[in-house]
Amino acid sequence: MKTFLYALATLIAMECGTSQNMGSPAAEPGTIKKTTENFTDAERIGEMMNYLASDDMKGRDAGTEGIELAATYIENYLKSYRVKPYFNSYRDTLSNFTKPAFNIVGIVEGNDPELKKEFIVIGAHYDHIGIVPMENGDAIANGANDNASGTSTVLEFARYFGTHKTNKRSLIFALFSAEEKGLLGSKHLAKELKEQGLNLYAMLNFEMTGIPMKDKDYLMYLTGYEMSNLADISNGYAKEKLVGFLPTAKEYSLFKRSDNYAFHLELGVPSHTFSTFDFTNFDHYHKVGDEADKMDFVHMANLVNKTIPVLEGIANAPTQEIKNN
């Protein structure tokens, strides 16, 4: 109960602060940068991360009581900012995992009568690996960078579009479970959407965005960089080199190792992951040291603020400009 009340209080505090951050209603296309550059901030991101990566979650292992706390938090967050459930409820129960586990899926319908029939999935996995062998008196793998960071990023995108409603295409916000068990949550949802005959345009995934890269002339890299023109499209809307190519991502086949891959396989649409983990800037992958106090909340807020115009541009373009190569 104490944990639930803390989560509820955090949501209420955030909601009260939102009116100050959001400012006036959405600007006309072409001026959107003025309304998004300060949309979120380090303090807000920090509150989200400190909760999602807290010891109360017990490492958010799929099918455990710990991840249930995170799921409830995410549901309440989406509801608070007028993101509707995609299914009858926000919970999409996995059919390919033995323990009770579910994706959390919401939708912000597009505001254009024709373009709203096209969909973009914006996703991140919210599970982690749970309890691990004891190390320096700690056995909880909190999963701050992996992937409370991506989860917080996507939730802030959901807050923006849920409250501003500036998207012409419909946006599905998907927080996946059981990614750490073999991408099971995204495989389950991608199959469902294919069976529905959903007109999916693209899948944009966010993974390990909590620490900035060093000595790079771009903020994020894109997995499967050469497989579509998404990087060029993104940088055009950002009006800067926001997205770049990381050779290590190709070397380690990261395109196939996150939740974008299921959508690539099932639906064949442009499907990529944005990340800032480059194998040199974070030493705690799948370890107990992956704690919120090691994250750079200023960097995370900056990433959200700079990416919103990109998502908005993609959602509102008159044609489907992202193309597979």
Side-chain angles (χ1 to χ4, degrees), residues 24 45 77-78 93 100 116 126 156 159 179 206 222 260 318:
S24 58
I45 293 289
Y77 201 92
L78 295 178
T93 303
K116 72 178 184 180
Y126 73 104
E156 285 296 78
R159 177 170 73 93
E179 188 269 358
F206 291 82
L222 194 68
N260 61 286

Side-chain angles (χ1 to χ4, degrees), residues 32-152:
I32 196 64
K33 193 175 181 71
K34 294 180 181 178
T35 66
T36 63
E37 58 189 6
N38 298 313
F39 175 70
T40 195
D41 56 39
E43 181 178 4
R44 183 184 184 90
I45 293 289
E47 289 176 349
M48 299 172 72
M49 289 291 292
N50 283 321
Y51 183 73
L52 288 170
S54 67
D55 284 353
D56 289 341
M57 305 291 170
K58 299 292 190 293
R60 303 190 312 278
D61 196 9
T64 67
E65 292 181 3
I67 199 172
E68 168 69 25
L69 297 174
T72 300
Y73 177 91
I74 293 167
E75 286 178 300
N76 289 337
Y77 201 92
L78 295 178
K79 185 177 181 180
S80 294
Y81 298 110
R82 294 181 282 169
V83 180
K84 296 181 179 179
Y86 179 76
F87 298 103
N88 291 332
S89 75
Y90 292 105
R91 300 196 177 199
D92 170 39
T93 303
L94 271 57
S95 60
N96 54 2
F97 189 61
T98 53
K99 295 180 180 179
F102 29 82
N103 302 319
I104 308 296
V105 189
I107 184 170
V108 177
E109 186 179 20
N111 59 31
D112 182 273
E114 289 302 317
L115 288 179
K116 72 178 184 180
K117 300 173 185 176
E118 301 174 11
F119 294 79
I120 299 169
V121 171
I122 300 172
H125 74 90
Y126 73 104
D127 68 306
H128 194 52
I129 60 173
I131 306 299
V132 298
M134 188 74 70
E135 181 180 337
N136 297 322
D138 187 2
I140 300 175
N142 298 79
N145 202 21
D146 185 16
N147 188 34
S149 63
T151 298
S152 298

